[in-house]
Amino acid sequence: MTNTGIASIGLHLPTLAMRVDELATLRGADPDKYTIGLGCREIALCGDGEDVVSLAVEAAKRALSRWDGDLQDIGMIAVGTETAKDMSRPLSAWVAGELGISGQVRSYEVKHACYGGTLALRQAVEWRLSGAARGKAALVIAADVALYAPRDPGEPTQGAGAVALIVGEPTVARVDPVSYAWSEPAFDFWRPVGQAFPSVEGPLSLDCYMRAAESCFGAFAEEHGGLEAALNDLESVCFHVPFPKMVKKAVRHVAERSGWDAEKAAEFYEQKVDPTMRWNRVSGNAYTASLWISVASALAGRPIGKRIGAFSYGSGFGAELLLLDAGPEAATGAWAADVDVDLSARQLIDSSAYNELRA
Ligand code: COA
């Protein structure tokens, strides 16, 4: 019964992007602040006709195309997003409509800032483990378009993208039923009804993220003989990536709390964390999809049985550390082609095109 997990992965990034050093020039900022200070490189942006639905649908089509089941085998569709189109109608209904999914299917949207996609995945895994799924699979999608108000400090961390995961037989990865969750009510990032862009308490959001990481990794370490023993079991550790420097700060914080010196923390980060963010550096922050873009990257090419960690964070705040074991199809990493295709087709825009887009 504990043998459930990810049976297929599909990703999609939109057709436009902008280099953050170009944005820095537009905003009169030092490009090093965005590239070195925040660790960003390119932000993905939606072009004409693209939105959160088209991103989610394309990612889902790609996941379905490399899965050996068909639409009749789907018993749940859950979409994690903070780019809701409607306060009542779930984003899953738009996606299901485009895909032609209806009937005996539980369909809903999950909201918890950037944590929503992970919650949808956990619910799908637990639905399968409970027996309620009766052998059906779930289509879980994490999709977002992250835009801040022009000139907001978060602007260089914008992004967009979608990841679709079919939860069923763990051919790509087994998801460990045990995970480490933590939540605390906070106003670090929020978007009131009717407000176009989020309100952010930037420094508070950094503190909340680090406290959440300390709590989740602390609980994991406690059950596994300390942080070193716990992390030694993991080949890679993926994080929610609001911007890459945030992840580096969180790793340093978790390590320091366990008495590691700066050199040891840096070595761990370089070997097991930084390589998982190769696609995040070209997507920007895709909110709910951000962690799963990193996980998709870490699983691609991973030999069977190798274990990875996945730390999810959503403002408000809630967090969870998951453990995944690579399945037999991880080694081929077929979904890496999705990113290659999207990157080779996408257009890098300049400042004047960006101004037009934002207008
Ligand atoms: N060259 C190199 N680095 C520079 C620099 C320069 N010229 N100028 C500034 N920096 C560094 C700063 O030292 C800082 O690094 P540090 O934190 O390691 O000290 C970093 O760049 C960011 O500078 P800061 O002044 O703190 O940025 P900011 O206040 O303009 O915005 C955020 C940073 C995170 C608050 C902003 O991007 C934001 O609001 N993001 C959205 C919320 C978010 O992502 N939260 C994370 C948790 S979910």
Side-chain angles (χ1 to χ4, degrees):
M1 276 305 287
T2 58
N3 208 21
T4 199
I6 300 169
S8 183
I9 299 179
L11 297 104
H12 185 44
L13 301 180
T15 54
L16 302 179
M18 186 181 188
R19 292 179 58 89
V20 295
D21 45 14
E22 174 85 14
L23 179 65
T25 308
L26 177 67
R27 296 295 178 228
D30 181 346
D32 286 353
K33 175 175 177 183
Y34 294 175
T35 55
I36 300 169
L38 296 173
C40 301
R41 195 196 306 163
E42 289 170 13
I43 52 176
L45 296 158
C46 287
D48 269 354
E50 288 182 307
D51 67 359
V52 67
V53 175
S54 66
L55 294 178
V57 168
E58 183 57 26
K61 283 182 178 168
R62 291 173 176 188
L64 289 164
S65 74
R66 53 178 73 101
W67 180 50
D68 63 6
D70 59 37
L71 290 186
Q72 280 68 44
D73 301 319
I74 301 284
M76 173 191 289
I77 170 168
V79 181
T81 189
E82 52 183 299
T83 318
K85 281 177 81 78
D86 191 290
M87 287 300 293
S88 298
R89 191 174 195 260
L91 203 63
S92 59
W94 267 276
V95 177
E98 292 285 329
L99 295 174
I101 295 177
S102 63
Q104 289 185 12
V105 181
R106 181 182 288 165
S107 165
Y108 62 105
E109 178 180 312
V110 182
K111 180 184 72 177
H112 191 319
C114 303
Y115 180 32
T118 302
L119 284 167
L121 176 84
R122 284 302 314 182
Q123 288 171 340
V125 166
E126 289 162 16
W127 171 72
R128 294 254 317 169
L129 293 175
S130 74
R134 299 200 293 283
K136 295 260 184 174
L139 173 60
V140 169
I141 304 169
D144 269 304
V145 177
L147 284 175
Y148 294 86
R151 293 175 191 79
D152 185 284
E155 195 177 21
T157 73
Q158 292 173 149
V163 179
L165 305 164
I166 295 181
V167 174
E169 293 297 312
T171 49
V172 170
R174 174 184 168 272
V175 178
D176 197 316
V178 174
S179 62
Y180 302 88
W182 187 267
S183 67
E184 284 181 39
F187 267 98
D188 56 333
F189 179 113
W190 67 103
R191 183 160 69 85
V193 175
Q195 186 175 302
F197 302 113
S199 299
V200 188
E201 285 289 338
L204 174 65
S205 73
L206 270 63
D207 284 351
C208 291
Y209 185 112
M210 289 197 281
R211 205 157 69 241
E214 180 187 339
S215 306
C216 294
F217 280 92
F220 174 49
E222 204 176 302
E223 279 188 11
H224 290 81
L227 189 68
E228 181 142 20
L231 294 182
N232 273 346
D233 260 3
L234 306 179
E235 289 274 307
S236 282
V237 189
C238 303
F239 285 74
H240 166 53
V241 190
F243 52 93
K245 183 73 162 291
M246 177 73 250
V247 174
K248 194 173 192 176
K249 280 175 188 283
V251 168
R252 203 162 47 203
H253 179 76
V254 168
E256 266 172 15
R257 288 293 157 132
S258 285
W260 292 20
D261 63 26
E263 196 184 337
K264 190 168 162 184
E267 193 182 325
F268 171 78
Y269 172 81
E270 291 302 330
Q271 286 178 358
K272 296 195 176 180
V273 180
D274 187 75
T276 71
M277 295 190 284
R278 63 183 165 141
W279 293 340
N280 300 91
R281 288 197 164 89
V282 293
S283 66
N285 184 5
Y287 290 162
T288 54
S290 165
L291 169 67
W292 297 99
I293 289 172
S294 172
V295 170
S297 163
L299 282 173
R302 189 71 60 186
I304 186 169
K306 299 295 182 191
R307 173 160 271 221
I308 69 166
F311 172 73
S312 188
Y313 175 82
S315 291
F317 69 81
E320 192 159 343
L321 173 62
L322 276 59
L323 302 165
L324 296 93
D325 300 304
E329 285 174 23
T332 58
W335 53 92
D338 297 346
V339 179
D340 293 343
V341 165
D342 291 344
L343 291 183
S344 60
R346 84 176 181 179
Q347 187 195 345
L348 278 177
I349 62 168
D350 62 14
S351 298
S352 62
Y354 179 72
N355 277 336
E356 265 178 49
L357 198 70
R358 295 309 305 265

